[in-house]
């Protein structure tokens, strides 16, 4: 009897932990009925795994870029407007997701990328000697608006409209960098690894969004993000490994 109650408690605990993650239906299908070939639940589990892998990967996603700037003591080649626009886009996605109670597996990476973007912007401004009153005032205004949005002071309809703006914001955050690379004929201190991981993460997010959310805005946003990060990754490869050796040969 004691063994049965322990077993019952274990199952109840497992159900309490797993149901919010994989849904009650999939918990019963997979772990009660032992039907491991249910395609809907298999896709959901794959989506959850991918989602948490993306979040784990996002913890150090911008680290190569941060280290490249820190090592060079310069943000040369890095478009600060791109990062400011990316901060705006990730901020909106974060607050929209939290206010809509979306699963953490579908947006957790936005939080960690946001923190790293702040570090990059801080380093760009630090090494160009622009950490001043204006910088701190702008930061204070940003955090004030951020917390108002996060804690529900903005109507959901307003947040939905803002989420729609993340698509042009996301595109705008990458296009200046693409243009800058072409104009300078160089990608400066841009990190290939950072942009390639961004590309892969965005592609994976297209899949997780299709499985877990009915959000066309997220789909378009992640699709365009994958395309533009792919272009920048190719530019870095071209300017570092094709164009540079050509220059050296001609010299």
């Amino acid at each position: 009897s004691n063994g049965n109650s322990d077993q019952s408690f274990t199952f109840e605990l497992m159900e309490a932990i797993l149901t919010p993650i994989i849904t009650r239906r999939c918990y019963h299908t997979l772990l009660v009925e032992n039907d491991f070939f249910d395609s809907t639940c298999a896709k959901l589990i794959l989506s959850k795994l991918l989602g948490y892998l993306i979040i784990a990967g996002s913890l150090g996603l911008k680290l190569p870029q941060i280290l490249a700037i820190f090592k060079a003591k310069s943000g040369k080649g890095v478009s600060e407007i791109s990062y400011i626009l990316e901060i705006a886009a990730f901020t909106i996605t974060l607050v929209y997701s939290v206010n809509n109670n979306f699963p953490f597996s579908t947006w957790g990476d936005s939080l960690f990328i946001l923190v790293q973007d702040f570090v990059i912007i801080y380093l760009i401004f630090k090494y160009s000697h622009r950490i001043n009153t204006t910088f701190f005032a702008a930061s204070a205004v940003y955090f004030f608006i951020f917390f108002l949005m996060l804690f529900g002071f903005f109507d959901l309809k307003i947040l939905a409209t803002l989420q729609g703006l993340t698509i042009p914001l996301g595109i705008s955050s990458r296009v200046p960098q693409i243009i800058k690379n072409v104009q300078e004929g160089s990608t400066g201190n841009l990190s290939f690894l950072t942009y390639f991981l961004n590309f892969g993460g965005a592609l994976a997010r297209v899949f997780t969004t299709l499985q877990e959310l009915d959000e066309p805005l997220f789909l378009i946003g992640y699709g365009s993000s994958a395309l533009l990060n792919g272009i920048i990754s190719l530019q870095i490869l071209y300017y570092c490994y094709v164009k540079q050796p050509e220059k050296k040969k001609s010299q």
Side-chain angles (χ1 to χ4, degrees):
S1 148
N2 204 22
N4 284 342
S5 66
D6 282 350
Q7 201 173 20
S8 171
F9 173 74
T10 304
F11 277 116
E12 281 173 17
L13 183 64
M14 271 178 65
E15 187 172 2
I17 293 167
L18 292 174
T19 298
I21 299 171
I22 63 170
T23 75
R24 190 171 295 279
R25 178 192 170 275
C26 286
Y27 175 83
H28 279 274
T29 302
L30 297 168
L31 297 170
V32 178
E33 296 164 17
N34 294 326
D35 177 7
F36 300 112
F37 298 100
D38 183 282
S39 63
T40 307
C41 291
K43 282 178 188 172
L44 180 66
I45 298 291
L46 178 60
S47 176
K48 290 289 181 188
L49 280 172
L50 259 180
Y52 285 113
L53 278 172
I54 292 166
I55 292 167
S58 74
L59 290 169
L61 180 69
K62 300 293 179 90
L63 200 58
Q65 186 62 75
I66 290 167
L67 292 173
I69 296 170
F70 184 73
K71 198 175 165 186
K73 298 283 185 282
S74 158
K76 183 183 181 296
V78 182
S79 167
E80 69 187 54
I81 190 70
S82 287
Y83 276 95
I84 290 166
L85 291 169
E86 187 172 276
I87 284 170
F90 276 116
T91 299
I92 294 164
T93 297
L94 176 65
V95 296
Y96 181 71
S97 301
V98 169
N99 279 275
N100 278 288
N101 297 312
F102 289 156
F104 183 70
S105 60
T106 63
W107 60 266
D109 48 314
S110 295
L111 172 64
F112 299 116
I113 292 170
L114 199 53
V115 172
Q116 292 165 81
D117 277 351
F118 285 132
V119 174
I120 289 169
I121 279 294
Y122 174 78
L123 289 175
I124 291 170
F125 275 75
K126 174 182 160 68
Y127 293 129
S128 56
H129 310 290
R130 286 179 293 154
I131 301 289
N132 50 29
T133 315
T134 309
F135 178 86
F136 288 114
S139 301
V141 170
Y142 164 82
F143 283 109
F144 178 69
I145 295 168
F146 173 70
F147 286 115
L148 284 181
M149 291 197 295
L150 190 65
F151 294 111
F153 287 95
F154 280 57
D155 189 83
L156 272 178
K157 284 178 184 172
I158 295 170
L159 292 181
T161 305
L162 289 173
Q163 182 59 39
L165 290 174
T166 62
I167 297 163
L169 270 177
I171 293 168
S172 303
S173 76
R174 289 290 177 257
V175 172
Q177 186 67 68
I178 292 168
I179 294 166
K180 189 181 175 81
N181 296 341
V182 173
Q183 286 174 341
E184 295 186 359
S186 157
T187 50
N189 293 323
L190 290 185
S191 162
F192 171 75
L193 190 58
T194 291
Y195 282 96
F196 185 72
L197 289 174
N198 264 319
F199 165 71
L203 272 186
R205 272 279 169 246
V206 169
F207 177 78
T208 63
T209 303
L210 280 168
Q211 298 308 315
E212 296 185 59
L213 300 174
D214 181 22
E215 280 290 332
L217 290 175
F218 275 35
L219 270 182
I220 299 164
Y222 289 129
S224 58
S225 174
L227 175 68
L228 296 168
N229 280 301
I231 290 170
I232 295 175
S233 299
L234 289 172
Q235 282 185 318
I236 296 169
L237 288 176
Y238 175 71
Y239 287 118
C240 290
Y241 300 104
V242 179
K243 206 78 176 154
Q244 286 290 87
E246 277 178 11
K247 270 187 190 173
K248 281 177 185 171
K249 274 182 192 173
S250 64
Q251 284 168 3

